[in-house]
Amino acid sequence: MAAAFHQRIQEALLDERLQTALYAATGRLMDKRKSGVTAQQCPDYQELRAHAHLIKRHTMENLDYYLELLARKVEEHGGKVAWCRDAGEVQTFVGTLAKERGIRVAVKSKSMLSEEVALNEALERYGVEPVETDLGEFIIQLAGERPFHILAPAMHKTRQQVADLFQEKLGGKREEEIEKQTRIARTVLRRRFLEAGLGISGANFLIAESGAVVVVENEGNARLATSCPPVHVAVAGIEKVIPRAADLALFLPLLGRSATGQPLTSYTSFLSGPRRAGDLDGPEEFYLVLVDNGRSRILADREKRQTLYCIRCGACLNICPVFRKIGGHSYPGTYSGPIGAILTPQALGISHEPELPFASSLCGACAEVCPVKIDIPKILLELRSEVRKTETRERRWNFEKLGFGVWAWLMRRPRLFELVGTAMLELLPAAGPLLKPWTEWRDFPHPPPKTFRQLWRARKAGA
Ligand code: SF4
């Protein structure tokens, strides 16, 4: 598994087109976020972050209460709630529901959770064609790939690549202009909305006090996916619940500004059960699927449960120097970047993905931009320590450990330390091949002309 991870990283680093697209796209998103959180644009940004962190903490500490309240409210509005422990239960629930209704086409608005539980593959096994309707998701579905970024799933594709893809899969004229490509996608998708028997959405927030599912988007496709088909299924992780609608006054601006620099995302929909008498549109049946899939395990750890505060804004990915080089497809699992590095090993178990907590420079930039103040570097360190504890004695005997052991031994012998230090200055230039794994992707600093001790002695003699 580690070998596959390293292989994907090598491939990403060698792909010049990917490197250019990735650096430019994350840079643009970072710039937008930066301009959205300035003191002029959002004077109380830091207070909002602190407050959002507290609300999330309070909700996670009382998650059982808020989930029960949410379920009661959804049912009061005529909706049904399904509790699913893992991916298999979600697949069975949604697949069986579609099969019983004789549904052949399901339109989906962007949902990372449905990726996490491999819902598309499951639907196909039940004879249902899943159609992604978010433009980025539509592109990667056509390309047969998985999302590259939690917010911008097709971030790695250039418009020229999209032009080739559309021409190959949809036919028609090759169009490189993004507006024209959007028009092509819209024409194809409008028809699919009308023929779909099932609409599947994710949820950005679940309001416990009212039972509303809140979906935030910029394209309007989620509104069509949740109101055109006769059946709507919202699939959401249990951590998406927040106590009150009033809390959105914090979370919506934090999400919009951190994700794309927008004060608010273009469309915010509140979905509360099936269509009622007198409603102009809406589904006849509404289901909320609440998914655990490892989240209870994360919740059980008092320190690391803050992982569940994440509102999936993507800011930590855009700023992460590791993500910006290796990209989303290098990471195993659905979630990439710093949040993926802490979420995936905890949800699946540390032995499944032991490499992930090490895919970080620990620079702390992720914690600085996180709108809900998740201390990602701290969790990474804790996970690293857990990985080390689970490793066998033999495996721990690696070069890093050996190197630090020798260094500690030398530090206790000052004269020898000095001798070795002086010799190293001479030997370092010749040690190039030995340092290749380290220097392949970064520059080795030029060694100073003299050791610290030589410089110190010279300085004292001159004083
Ligand atoms: S961890 Fe924080 S910065 Fe990263 S996606 Fe989640 S909310 Fe955004």
Side-chain angles (χ1 to χ4, degrees), residues 150 310-317 339 366 369-372 374 376:
I150 54 177
C310 175
I311 57 172
R312 309 280 191 266
C313 70
C316 61
L317 279 69
I339 184 60
C366 49
V369 298
C370 179
V372 283
I374 301 174
I376 298 175

Side-chain angles (χ1 to χ4, degrees), residues 340-383:
I342 60 170
L343 181 60
T344 311
Q346 291 185 79
L348 299 181
I350 196 82
S351 56
H352 279 82
E353 304 296 350
E355 293 291 312
L356 271 179
F358 297 88
S360 164
S361 66
L362 293 180
C363 65
C366 49
E368 242 170 70
V369 298
C370 179
V372 283
K373 297 188 88 161
I374 301 174
D375 195 344
I376 298 175
K378 188 172 176 210
I379 299 173
L380 283 168
L381 283 174
E382 285 185 23
L383 290 171

Side-chain angles (χ1 to χ4, degrees), residues 35-50:
S35 62
V37 301
T38 58
Q40 290 76 25
Q41 290 290 327
C42 190
D44 48 359
Y45 173 63
Q46 294 302 342
E47 287 78 26
L48 291 180
R49 287 177 79 211

Side-chain angles (χ1 to χ4, degrees), residues 133-262:
T133 65
D134 171 89
L135 181 60
E137 290 281 342
F138 178 68
I139 292 168
I140 60 154
Q141 189 181 30
L142 285 180
E145 296 177 12
R146 61 189 176 99
F148 191 85
H149 184 284
I150 54 177
L151 200 71
M155 168 188 269
H156 58 303
K157 295 251 178 261
T158 60
R159 62 197 166 89
Q160 288 79 12
Q161 287 174 308
V162 175
D164 292 338
L165 183 71
F166 277 12
Q167 192 181 36
E168 183 199 332
K169 302 283 178 179
L170 307 173
K173 201 167 156 236
R174 187 177 181 281
E175 297 288 2
E176 280 195 13
E177 257 181 64
I178 291 174
E179 289 74 16
K180 288 186 180 159
Q181 293 175 348
T182 310
R183 220 170 290 144
I184 294 170
R186 189 181 293 145
T187 309
V188 173
L189 289 172
R190 281 285 151 134
R191 191 168 40 81
R192 308 313 307 266
F193 283 118
L194 297 174
E195 66 191 20
L198 173 63
I200 299 173
S201 74
N204 292 90
F205 303 98
L206 303 167
I207 303 174
E209 69 171 2
S210 67
V213 172
V214 181
V215 177
V216 175
E217 49 152 349
N218 271 322
E219 297 173 21
N221 60 307
R223 289 200 164 168
L224 287 166
T226 56
S227 59
C228 281
V231 184
H232 171 209
V233 174
V235 207
I238 52 173
E239 80 283 12
K240 290 292 172 80
V241 68
I242 55 170
R244 301 159 307 160
D247 299 327
L248 290 174
L250 278 175
F251 288 112
L252 290 179
L254 278 177
L255 177 58
R257 288 183 187 279
S258 306
T260 52
Q262 292 167 282

Side-chain angles (χ1 to χ4, degrees), residues 77-80 97 101 103 196-199 225-233 272-277 279-287:
H77 295 307
K80 294 202 173 89
L97 180 76
R101 306 289 182 282
I103 291 167
L198 173 63
T226 56
S227 59
C228 281
V231 184
H232 171 209
V233 174
S272 304
R275 177 197 300 213
R276 283 174 277 264
D279 282 356
L280 289 177
D281 55 23
E284 290 148 28
E285 295 178 67
F286 171 82
Y287 298 87

